[in-house]
Amino acid sequence: MSAAFGGMYKVMLLLHLAAVVAAFAPLIIHPLLGAQAKADGSTTKLAGYMAANTRRVHFPALILAGVFGLGMIFSSDPGSGDNVWGFDQTWVSLALLVWIALCGVVSGLIGPAERKYAAGDADAERKVALGGQIATVLFLVMLYLMIWKPGF
């Protein structure tokens, strides 16, 4: 099977994993920072930093994670005779669907809620938390799909 995964695949895998780490770091870090900011009363300032980082770092990394994931699919070698990744496999198609959903949650719920929270809208904090919870569940589904590869 290793013949099916040449140099380009391995480069895509490296870039995919690096992008995933950058994209999903907020799922771990933001709740911890939020609790610390609440304790010292600086939530508005922290929310501004979170919103800026979501827009400049985390969402672009999420997009790149998907692009590099697609690159891994397209760079696996179907001519090798080994089982390689393709959209005819259930886990690949579901992973693409979950990635699209994650992009929607981040761009349609988390990002706007973070900006409103940074502007002083205290009600937006619940939307940020809800978006983070949804993104966490989707991330876990994604990990399940990529580790166990159902339908492969």
Side-chain angles (χ1 to χ4, degrees):
M1 186 136 137
S2 64
F5 304 107
M8 182 55 74
Y9 177 87
K10 291 176 182 176
V11 168
M12 289 291 132
L13 177 60
L14 172 71
L15 295 171
H16 177 69
L17 291 173
V20 166
V21 170
F24 293 102
L27 294 178
I28 306 300
I29 302 302
H30 283 183
L32 299 173
L33 292 175
Q36 292 172 344
K38 266 190 173 181
D40 70 13
S42 61
T43 55
T44 301
K45 191 172 186 177
L46 176 65
Y49 293 139
M50 289 174 166
N53 286 334
T54 295
R55 186 178 66 254
R56 288 184 282 194
V57 178
H58 304 299
F59 186 66
L62 178 60
I63 296 296
L64 289 174
V67 168
F68 295 135
L70 290 170
M72 290 168 55
I73 292 167
F74 294 127
S75 65
S76 62
D77 182 11
S80 69
D82 292 323
N83 292 326
V84 294
W85 316 139
F87 291 102
D88 58 330
Q89 297 166 348
T90 303
W91 76 272
V92 173
S93 296
L94 289 175
L96 181 61
L97 183 65
V98 172
W99 174 71
I100 291 168
L102 274 164
C103 289
V105 169
V106 173
S107 67
L109 180 59
I110 295 174
E114 285 175 341
R115 288 190 296 276
K116 288 178 184 174
Y117 190 36
D121 182 353
D123 291 334
E125 180 183 11
R126 287 178 310 150
K127 290 182 181 177
V128 171
L130 175 64
Q133 292 165 351
I134 294 169
T136 299
V137 169
L138 290 171
F139 178 64
L140 293 173
V141 169
M142 183 75 75
L143 285 177
Y144 166 78
L145 292 170
M146 292 189 178
I147 293 169
W148 282 279
K149 297 174 179 45
F152 174 63

